[in-house]
Amino acid sequence: MFRRSFIKNSIATGALLSINSCNTKQKKTPDTHEVFALQEMTISGLMTAYESGDLTCESVTRMYLDRIEAIDKSGPTLRSILAINPDALTEARQLDEQRKSGKVKGPLHGIPVLLKDNIDTAGTMKTTAGSLALKDNQALQNAFITQKLIDAGALILGKTNLSEWANFRSSRSSSGWSAMGGQTRNPYIIDRSPCGSSSGSGAAIAADLCTVAIGTETDGSIVCPSSINGIVGIKPTIGLVSRSGIVPIAHSHDTAGPMTRTVEDAAVLLGVLAGIDEKDTHTQRSIGKIPSDYTQFLNKEGMNGKRIGIARRFFGFHELVDALLEKAIDAMKQLGATLVELPPDELNDLADEDAYTVLLYEFKHDLKAYLSNCPEHVSVRSLEDLIAFNEVNKDKEMPYFQQEVFLEAAKKGDLTDEQYLHALDRVLKANGENGIDKALKTHQLDAIIAPSNGPSWPIDVVTGDHFLGGSSSPAARSGYPSITVPAGYVHGLPIGISFIAGAFNEPALISMAYAYEQATMHRRQPEFRLSFNEFQPTEKI
């Protein structure tokens, strides 16, 4: 989520590890070398195995739980999983029984899913947003999207670690740290950042700890951890996916979305998540705009005849990233696309200061609304309560970075303030009408491409994240969709390419992203190197 350009001209995407969680002297476990039985398993692959009787939901769940114990809790200690569903095996057996009796609930029947731990789950699992202030927050009902997943037959395997409060607390945080879960790590090189704030969802799917996961984004929190962990992520149009029952940052930016290893799985998952929710009025915008099935847009010829704009203003932060994007551009041309160079002034005004102002106002307002629906025993009911809690518990909550963003937000008024209304109008126009919309119309484009991220940086408890650059802000601030797909590697670290379009153009983006993915097939398994010192310069990059 949340870009540090709002605060000090770079991206903030998380928080950092406890000293005890950073022991890189430990040895690799055999599990990181042996071929996992469910390696790179897809939704369709599992469905086929279920139908043939080769696998059951119970057996798959057991394999993932064993994998989590070996890779996440011990071994390289990714710390991507914050909580396991204690009823997972029982629910898996129930799903198997339903299948045997001919009652297949939907397209995810028996598919294990991980949820970012800011998404409400009723029952035994808590929803903490990574904070000790919500450690006992047992939601009274499922988030709208949680229930949609369950209704489609999904098994909620657990909750993933995240940058605490989706990284809206400090300008000096480091991605993937929370007081509840410690530091999430990157499975490609363990001492490198997983980005954030959907850090655990990205690392877990990259490491084959589950089939698919759900993340949330305000600005970059799906796109960045997806690209830096070598997976696919979709940031949907605002209003396509309900936010009710999700710990908020800002309703003008927030959305949940799929994080998967393939575009096909992302399309399946998006079809389940999309829907109209009376508790989220923004979803009324998507009436008549939700296809019955996003997989119908999976077309290997989906790039042919398309006009794609190259947003060069997001290039230039790393020469090897630029080289990968040039190869991606060549691949798209070979697939029949016309590539158009956008002028330097296109997508140049992102309204950074106004965007940060909007987040401060909306966070104060939206957080209070969420906390008002928490169980009575949850003591924090407002941002001011949360600030006080953190001060009392600062040895555990603020050992590495503070809460200056909270303090700034607490000073803001309500959503009728002229400062807020002006800032919101400017952000939407600068990034939508005068940004993405203008570029698409002027150059008759179907989409815009840009590098999703730079190479992952070393986890740094002292100064926080060292993010080189990315391209999430135009889509995030306009409320438009984007999808990131693996584009290659820089010294063994994944790099993604983002496809961006206008509102509710997910079908077109999925078609183009799928064509590119199938033609290039860049994704490869992480190798769990403990540090960059294990990387051999002669290896292919």
Side-chain angles (χ1 to χ4, degrees):
M1 185 235 58
F2 171 51
R3 312 288 292 188
R4 193 176 294 176
S5 58
F6 295 139
I7 298 179
K8 60 177 189 178
N9 300 320
S10 62
I11 289 188
T13 39
L16 190 56
L17 75 171
S18 66
I19 299 301
N20 290 335
S21 72
C22 193
N23 177 14
T24 57
K25 293 182 180 180
Q26 63 194 99
K27 301 296 183 182
K28 293 181 182 177
T29 66
D31 306 81
T32 63
H33 295 288
E34 296 172 358
V35 176
F36 177 45
L38 299 175
Q39 183 169 304
E40 299 294 299
M41 182 58 75
T42 62
I43 292 172
S44 62
L46 273 185
M47 285 299 195
T48 298
Y50 288 158
E51 291 166 3
S52 67
D54 290 339
L55 291 173
T56 64
C57 183
E58 181 180 2
S59 67
V60 167
T61 300
R62 287 187 185 278
M63 282 189 275
Y64 279 132
L65 291 177
D66 288 345
R67 175 81 167 174
I68 289 169
E69 184 61 34
I71 300 297
D72 204 66
K73 305 305 179 187
S74 56
T77 319
L78 293 180
R79 302 186 80 145
S80 65
I81 310 297
L82 202 153
I84 292 294
N85 178 4
D87 302 316
L89 289 171
T90 299
E91 293 172 7
R93 285 190 285 270
Q94 292 171 349
L95 288 164
D96 286 334
E97 288 301 318
Q98 290 171 0
R99 182 178 289 278
K100 286 180 183 178
S101 63
K103 299 177 181 178
V104 175
K105 297 172 68 175
L108 297 180
H109 192 101
I111 303 299
V113 177
L114 286 168
L115 303 180
K116 184 178 180 180
D117 193 34
N118 60 351
I119 301 171
D120 280 350
T121 48
T124 53
M125 284 187 293
K126 310 297 193 298
T127 302
T128 71
S131 172
L132 296 172
L134 295 185
K135 67 181 178 64
D136 296 319
N137 180 30
Q138 190 167 332
L140 302 177
Q141 62 183 20
N142 287 320
F144 183 82
I145 62 169
T146 303
Q147 192 58 52
K148 289 210 75 182
L149 290 165
I150 293 170
D151 291 345
L155 170 77
I156 308 301
L157 186 64
K159 310 288 281 287
T160 58
N161 201 7
L162 67 159
S163 306
E164 186 172 316
W165 294 108
N167 199 46
F168 201 69
R169 200 188 88 186
S170 174
S171 62
R172 207 187 66 242
S173 58
S174 170
S175 292
W177 183 92
S178 72
M180 285 293 298
Q183 176 65 42
T184 304
R185 306 179 189 180
N186 191 310
Y188 286 85
I189 299 181
I190 301 298
D191 65 358
R192 295 264 163 168
S193 175
C195 203
S197 64
S198 304
S199 312
S201 296
I205 296 306
D208 272 315
L209 303 187
C210 195
T211 313
V212 294
I214 309 299
T216 66
E217 174 161 331
T218 303
D219 190 338
S221 279
I222 289 173
V223 172
C224 186
S226 293
S227 56
I228 272 184
N229 287 282
I231 64 172
V232 175
I234 296 180
K235 199 291 289 187
T237 303
I238 298 297
L240 187 68
V241 176
S242 169
R243 288 83 55 85
S244 66
I246 300 178
V247 182
I249 296 295
H251 59 264
S252 63
H253 289 55
D254 290 352
T255 183
M259 297 176 71
T260 65
R261 289 182 290 271
T262 68
V263 175
E264 180 178 349
D265 278 0
V268 174
L269 203 51
L270 183 63
V272 172
L273 295 176
I276 314 302
D277 176 13
E278 63 180 16
K279 292 183 179 180
D280 183 351
T281 57
H282 280 73
T283 60
Q284 298 296 315
R285 300 175 59 227
S286 63
I287 292 175
K289 299 175 182 177
I290 302 176
S292 58
D293 180 5
Y294 282 97
T295 63
Q296 66 183 294
F297 305 109
L298 299 170
N299 179 9
K300 290 185 179 181
E301 302 298 322
M303 197 71 73
N304 190 30
K306 298 297 189 297
R307 286 177 59 84
I308 299 174
I310 306 170
R312 291 284 180 189
R313 70 166 306 271
F314 297 108
F315 288 54
F317 53 80
H318 197 292
E319 69 279 2
L320 294 181
V321 173
D322 289 351
L324 288 178
L325 266 291
E326 293 302 330
K327 291 181 179 179
I329 290 167
D330 288 341
M332 291 179 210
K333 290 178 179 177
Q334 292 182 24
L335 291 169
T338 299
L339 277 293
V340 179
E341 295 281 350
L342 298 184
D345 60 344
E346 298 277 11
L347 304 176
N348 195 40
D349 179 10
L350 302 181
D352 285 352
E353 291 185 11
D354 288 312
Y356 184 47
T357 295
V358 168
L359 297 194
L360 291 173
Y361 270 96
E362 292 187 4
F363 179 65
K364 181 180 179 180
H365 175 273
D366 296 355
L367 180 65
K368 186 174 183 178
Y370 176 85
L371 293 174
S372 69
N373 291 316
C374 289
E376 292 183 1
H377 62 266
V378 174
S379 60
V380 291
R381 293 287 158 174
S382 66
L383 178 55
E384 290 77 11
D385 289 346
L386 184 55
I387 290 169
F389 177 92
N390 288 342
E391 283 296 332
V392 171
N393 298 277
K394 61 184 177 182
D395 58 329
K396 295 179 180 178
E397 273 292 344
M398 301 191 294
Y400 307 121
F401 54 92
Q402 302 301 303
Q403 56 179 343
E404 65 273 16
V405 176
F406 280 6
L407 296 173
E408 285 187 79
K411 295 176 183 177
K412 297 301 182 184
D414 60 33
L415 301 188
T416 62
D417 281 6
E418 187 63 30
Q419 183 190 28
Y420 166 73
L421 295 173
H422 171 77
L424 178 61
D425 181 66
R426 179 150 147 57
V427 168
L428 293 175
K429 285 183 178 178
N431 291 277
E433 178 183 340
N434 298 324
I436 293 173
D437 289 338
K438 181 180 178 181
L440 293 172
K441 182 178 180 180
T442 300
H443 305 285
Q444 298 180 314
L445 304 176
D446 296 287
I448 297 166
I449 59 165
S452 303
N453 62 286
S456 177
W457 54 94
I459 293 170
D460 185 349
V461 68
V462 178
T463 60
D465 284 343
H466 303 284
F467 187 92
L468 288 179
S471 58
S472 66
S473 288
R477 298 177 188 179
S478 61
Y480 293 174
S482 65
I483 178 169
T484 181
V485 180
Y489 300 80
V490 168
H491 298 307
L493 294 165
I495 302 297
I497 182 171
S498 284
F499 295 80
I500 304 163
F504 298 104
N505 272 314
E506 282 84 356
L509 291 183
I510 287 170
S511 181
M512 287 179 274
Y514 181 74
Y516 173 76
E517 174 201 52
Q518 293 298 301
T520 58
M521 299 298 286
H522 283 299
R523 170 164 166 80
R524 64 180 187 231
Q525 278 275 305
E527 296 183 2
F528 304 94
R529 294 185 175 97
L530 297 181
S531 72
F532 186 75
N533 292 334
E534 292 189 11
F535 181 81
Q536 299 299 317
T538 56
E539 294 182 47
K540 185 178 180 180
I541 61 174

